[in-house]
Amino acid sequence: MQEATVVIGQAEGLHARPAAEFVKLAHRFRSAVRLGLNGREADGKSIMAVMALGANHGAEVELRVEGEDAEEAFRALRAFLEGGGS
Amino acid sequence: MAGLRLRGVAGSPGVALGPAFVFAPAARAAGGGAEAEVQASAAPEAEVARWLEARARLEAAYDRLVERAREAAGRGAAGAAAAEEGLAILEAQRMMVDDPGLEQAVREAVAAGKRAEAATREAVDRYAALFAGLEDAYLRQRAEDVREIGEAMLRALAGEEPIPLADLPPGSILCAPELGAGALLALDREALAGLALGSGGPTSHVAILARSMGVPAVLGLGDFLDEVRQGARVAVDGEAGELWVEPAGEELERLARAERRARAEREELAGLAGQPAVTPDGLRVELVANIGGPGDVEPALEAGAEGVGLFRTEFLVTGRETLPGEAEQAEVYRRVLEAMGGRPVIFRTFDIGGDKPVPALHLPQEANPFLGYRAIRIGLDHPDLLRTQLRAVLRAAAEAAPGGKGGAAGRGGTGPAESPARIMLPMVATLEEVRRARRLLEEARGELVARGLFPEGLRVPLGIMVEVPAAALIARRLAREVDFFSIGSNDLIQYTLAADRTDERVAGLYQPFHPAVLRLIGLCGEAAEEAGIPCGICGEMGGDPRATALLLGLGVRELSMTAASLARVKREVRRTPLARARELARQALACATAAEVEELVRAFREGWTAAGAAGGADAP
C-alpha cells in the first residue's frame, strides 16, 4: 500500500471539474483509492464521495492506494492532487 | 376578475402568455416511502438485479440526452450556449449515476432487507444531506443533482420513463413542480413559450439554462399547481417574477402588450442582422465576438460578428496533463482564422492560473490565486510556453494569409501588410511585462522567418488586456508601446472594488457602473484615442446594452461579447448619437455612486422603449 499526506494544489480545490478529473484518473487503475480529510474518508472512484469531501485548495488530504498497480496509480494521483500532471 | 397573481422569483427575463401545460410526474422521493420500506424484500439478489437493470435504463436515458446536447452544441444552433452549459451539467450527472458509492450503499441497504426503492431513497438522502451540509455554495447546489438522479432512478424502478419528457403543444407555458436540467434540455424548444416551476432560484441550473435559451421563467412558486388547471391561460412575467393565472381586463392587456413588445423586439433584432453598427451621427463601431474554441466561430458569424475580439485559448491547456505543441496549436488557430474569412481575430495568450488550473505546469498552491501567479505572469515565467504559443499564432497568421494580404478591417497605415491575427496579453500590470512579451514575440518571429515559415512583411499587432487598475492608470504610457487595448471589465471591476462576485456576501459590491470603474475605462479610451490605437472591451459589460452608450462616450470603439448579445448591442449603437453618448459619459464620471450612474443610464434609455417601435431602427 502507498500512503501519503498531500496538499491540494488545485486552485479551485477538489471541486466539480477537478473532482471529476480525479475520479476519471482513479478509474484508469485497478488499485483501490481512498482519500481522507478531517477524519472522513472517501472512495476515490466515487464522484459523489470525492466532491462531498469538500477538499479546498491547500487542504491536507490522506491519499491511500492499494492494489497491483498501486505504485503507478499513487504517482499519478498524487501529482494530480498537487496540481501537476499525472 | 383580474386573475390570480402568484409570486415567485425571476428566473429568466421576458413575458410569455399562453395555455398552461401542467406537467407533474409523480414525485417519488417524498411519497410512498413509508409503505415501501415496511415491505421486506424476499430476495436480495433479485432486488439488486432490478436496481442494476433500472440503472442501466437511466444510463441509457442520460446517454441519449448527452448525445442530444452534444449535437446541439456542435451544430452551433441558436441554443448552442445553452446546450454547452447543459452538456457540462448532464455529464456530471451521468458520472453520478455510475457512482460506485451509490451502488454500494444500495447493495448494503438491500442486504439489510430493504427493497430497491427504499435503498435508493436512503442512499440519495445520505448524499444529498452530505452536499447540503457543505460550506461551498457550488457544492451545496449539487444536492439538487443528487435528488434529480434519485427521482429518475425511482421512476426507472417503477418501470416508467426515467427522465419523462413533456409532449408540449406549441406555445405552451410549462408548469411543473420542478424540472431537471436534462428534462428541460429534452423539451421541444419551439413549443416552449415560458416556464413556471415550484422549485428553484435564480442560480439553479434550470434558471441558467432558461436564460441561455431565451425562455421567460418564474421559479420558486411553491405548491402553485393547485391553482393552475391544465390548459388555463397563464402568463409568465420573468422580470417581476410573477405567474398570472387567467389574467383579465387591464392586467391581461398589460401582459399581452409586454409579450408583443418582446416579440417585436425579437423581430426587430432579426431585421438588424445585415445592417452595419453605425451611430446616427456616423461613428462606425466594431462588434465582435468572444469565442472559446473553433466551435464558436459559426454561431458568431451567424449572429453578425465582424471579427473575434477575444479568443480564449486556454481550452488548449486547462485540465491537460501534457501541453500542446506548436504545430497542434497552429492548426487550431489557423482553422479559426480561416473560418473567420479575413476578419480580425484577437488571440489572448493563455489566461491560466487562478481559477484555471493546468496540471501539466505543476503550479504551486497559493493563498490568494487571483492576486497570484496567473496569466502573463506565468507566461513570462515560462518563456518556452509563451514563445511556443506566439510562434503558433504567427505560423497560423502566415498560413491563413499566404499572400501576406492585410485583414478585411485593416486598421489604417500603409507600411507592411497587417494580418487579421492579433495577439493580446492578459493581466498586464506593468510596462516591463509588455516589453518582455514583445521581445519574446520578436524572437518567435525571427525563428520562424529563419525557418521560412513567416513572411518578412507581415505585421501581427500586439495588444494588451486592461484588467488591472494599475494598467488603466498608466494607459497613456502603455498606449505608446502596444497596438491596441481591450478592457477586461470582469477582472477590472473585481480588482477595482476588491470584490469577488462569486462570493454572494460581497457580490453586491461588484458594480460595473461604479464611477471608479468608468473613470478607469475613460482613461483607456482617452489614451487610445491620443495614441491612435483602437480601444475595445471584451468583458461582460461589452455585451450589456445598458453600458453601450457609456462605453462609446468613454472612447471604446470595439465591443466584444457572446454571440447572443450582438443584435441587442447593435441596436443600441444604431440609436445612440456619439455626441449624446459623450455627454452621458461626462455626467456619469461626475456621479458619486453606481446607483446614480444607473439612474442616469435608465433615464437616457427611457425614450427608446416608448419610441423604439416608431423609428429607432430606421434612424439615419
Side-chain angles (χ1 to χ4, degrees), chain B residues 125-203:
Chain B
D125 282 349
R126 209 166 71 201
Y127 278 111
L130 216 55
F131 281 117
L134 290 174
E135 246 177 70
D136 186 274
Y138 176 85
L139 288 176
R140 268 204 308 275
Q141 266 199 6
R142 304 283 69 72
E144 199 182 304
D145 290 344
V146 180
R147 292 212 178 85
E148 197 175 327
I149 287 160
E151 282 292 327
M153 186 70 84
L154 292 171
R155 274 187 219 108
L157 280 167
E160 295 168 18
E161 186 55 40
I163 303 172
L165 307 181
D167 194 7
L168 283 183
S172 299
I173 310 290
L174 180 68
C175 300
E178 61 196 334
L179 192 69
L184 175 58
L185 285 165
L187 287 171
D188 176 4
R189 171 67 193 87
E190 299 301 313
L192 180 67
L195 199 58
L197 300 178
S199 63
T203 57

Side-chain angles (χ1 to χ4, degrees), chain B residues 15-96:
Chain B
V15 174
L17 196 59
F21 184 84
V22 177
F23 180 62
R28 301 187 166 273
E35 90 273 14
E37 235 148 302
V38 291
Q39 287 176 15
S41 150
E45 305 81 25
E47 281 300 286
V48 168
R50 203 159 70 80
W51 189 83
L52 290 175
E53 197 265 335
R55 185 178 71 177
R57 288 183 47 217
L58 184 53
E59 284 169 0
Y62 265 107
D63 286 343
R64 281 195 300 275
L65 288 178
V66 168
E67 191 52 39
R68 227 173 131 137
R70 200 169 275 150
E71 268 171 29
R75 249 200 329 272
E84 214 156 289
E85 187 83 53
L87 193 57
I89 295 169
L90 287 177
E91 281 177 340
Q93 290 185 347
R94 173 69 175 79
M95 263 180 102
M96 289 184 172

Side-chain angles (χ1 to χ4, degrees), chain A residues 8-54:
Chain A
I8 302 286
Q10 300 275 357
E12 48 184 319
L14 209 47
H15 294 181
R17 202 158 65 175
E21 295 288 327
F22 178 85
V23 172
K24 273 191 215 157
L25 185 60
H27 272 286
R28 282 197 218 152
F29 302 99
R30 287 162 175 239
S31 298
V33 177
R34 305 205 63 83
L35 285 175
L37 176 69
N38 297 334
R40 289 179 299 140
E41 221 191 33
D43 176 354
K45 296 191 179 185
S46 158
I47 172 93
M48 290 202 270
V50 171
M51 277 168 65
L53 209 53

